[in-house]
Amino acid sequence: MASYQSTMTQSDFNKLKAAGVKTVIVKSTEGTDYTNPAALNQAKMANKAGLNVDFYHYATFSTADAAKSEATNMAGFLVKNNVSTKVLLFADMEDSSSYSVNATANLNAFWSTLDSFGYKNHGVYTSNSYLYRDAVVKTVGQSRVWRAQYPYTPSANNLWNTNDGAWQFSDTALLPSGSDYTGYIDVSIDYNGLTEDSAGTNTFVTTTSSNDTTTSEVTTDTSATTNTSTSSTTKKASGWYTFTKNTAIKSAASDSAKTVGTYSKGNRVYYNAEVTTNGETWLRYLSYSGSEHFVKIAAAKTTTTKPAASTSKTVTKNETGTYKFTKTTAIKGSVSDSAKTLGTYYKGDTVYYNAKVTKNGETWLRYLSYSGAQHYVKISGAATSTTTTKPATSSSKTVTKAETGTYKFTGTTAIKGSVNDSAKTLGTYYKGDTVYYNAKVTKNGQTWLRYLSYSGAQHYVKISGAATTTTTSSKSTATASAKTVAQSGTYKFAKTTAIKSSASDAASTVGTYYKGNTVNYNAKVTTNGQTWLRYTSYSGAQHYVKVSGGAATTTSSSASKTTEAAGTYTFKTTTNIRTAASLNASVVGQYYAGESVYYIGTVSADGYQWLKYLSNSGAYHYVAKIG
């Protein structure tokens, strides 16, 4: 099942169990950046009904590098949701864009990447019409193949593909009469127990043990490589680590490095290396942003006397749900009023939480932000809402009107954390960029737009009143000669490259891309003889990477003319999402009948009218209007 069956209820899953169904195979991901939004709920309802759960990834790769990126996308879903490493994972190999003479090597690269995250239970889904079906089958063997082939009239007396592990014989089955869901479902017969070679109803791992290092999943390479640092050694190792206390996430293996998030007691992380430096032990892992992050698990002196002496007791209860805020509430990096405020939720906003934490008589909700770090909001106890006492005594009145729409910037505009010119600047929008806002705020004769950034915090941009544009001409003449050309494409890094907050070597470093990583950019900036690519990060801010010199690995999408137009389109049939307005462009996902997209432009190409929209990854995607 996939997202188009998202309306199935718990009762429907119970009916499947009663009808004799044993396993539900849920679509988790597709391409490099799509996740089935219903996957988690579908899997949990299936488990609750007593059904075994497997997951599948819809493959679109045609190179080994692309296969690794798609495997990382699937692994991101699995790790984030604590999916057991026992769960059976299928690669769905049926997309025409995956045709390649290197199909075997490419799929093996996909498997190797999943192996590196601890997920080693594999199977292949394919169809008889797939050009390279035999090439992909050989990566797992015929007994681990789930094959689709539809006879005109299925019959128990005429079974096909009996040498395979399982056979999908129909895609037009219906649930029993009286079910809530009345659409079609796919059905299969399992010949050898393949689809039950999984975790049963224990699809999701609970991390209650404080010292659960899951040593059975650790694969250590004894070859150690020594860094250029005089007292730092990095050893290749991989496995799961469960935190026994709240632990800061650092950008480097150093206490003085920038803190980029927090892991809480009971959380776990899949690491890819062990770093020892100055008598301390750190684990290195790949974050969802693509940057290497570090957590310290042992130090020369890790005094825990102060926390132990505290009379406060923290109790974390693993439970999930949705919470709707009744007032303005601060987002914190840990369960403490004195912790750094990372953003704000407002009355009417909602958050999907993964745990409830009680401490000092207060109740907090914990949730996983898009940065990969755990964030916290307090829902009872002493107020943690962002205080408005100073504004309240001011003669200014803030009026927030809930409305949605798209705004196109006519000039460089600062992104702020609150409706205030003096608030910290979190990023920048440039002329021609667009933002989808959820409210309009007026204060002191100024008009601001509010939008929800990918970090989960509300951000603000001023569209009328005193200028909030970020001006650099008064402080620096170095950027005066900068030329920005709106251009989109994909760039593959040939070496480790710093991510900067502006097109300058002197700007703050906000992350790192590594050799083989890719980025979808939206503009090219030339300044002081250097060439930079600009892209929109998950925080909503513009980031920059220097590609100085040749740019031979970029794929430009400037060949077709885009007409500016905005609107909503509802799909009438399953439609591929592509990286460019071309039938030859890579497929990165699908929209299904009944789903809608908010587009910002149209392109005429290849005999179709294409709709252009900004995806969550910051890249422009395209869908053809069909029907």
Side-chain angles (χ1 to χ4, degrees), residues 566-584:
T568 301
Y569 177 76
T570 302
F571 294 88
K572 301 176 180 63
T573 185
T574 302
T575 305
N576 286 332
I577 303 168
R578 296 185 182 271
T579 56
S582 169
L583 295 174
N584 295 321

Side-chain angles (χ1 to χ4, degrees), residues 344-356:
T344 309
Y345 277 109
Y346 294 86
K347 182 178 179 180
D349 291 342
T350 57
V351 66
Y352 188 85
Y353 60 91
N354 56 39
K356 191 173 284 186

Side-chain angles (χ1 to χ4, degrees), residues 18-41:
V21 171
K22 294 182 178 181
T23 298
V24 172
I25 308 175
V26 179
K27 178 177 182 176
S28 61
T29 45
E30 178 174 337
T32 59
D33 61 1
Y34 174 80
T35 299
N36 172 14
L40 192 60
N41 194 41

Side-chain angles (χ1 to χ4, degrees), residues 75 107 123 140 195 220 288 293 326 345 347 367 502 511 542 547 591:
L107 183 53
V140 294
T195 62
T220 303
Y288 296 119
H293 288 172
T326 57
Y345 277 109
K347 182 178 179 180
Y367 71 96
S502 63
Q542 300 287 357
V547 295
Y591 275 107

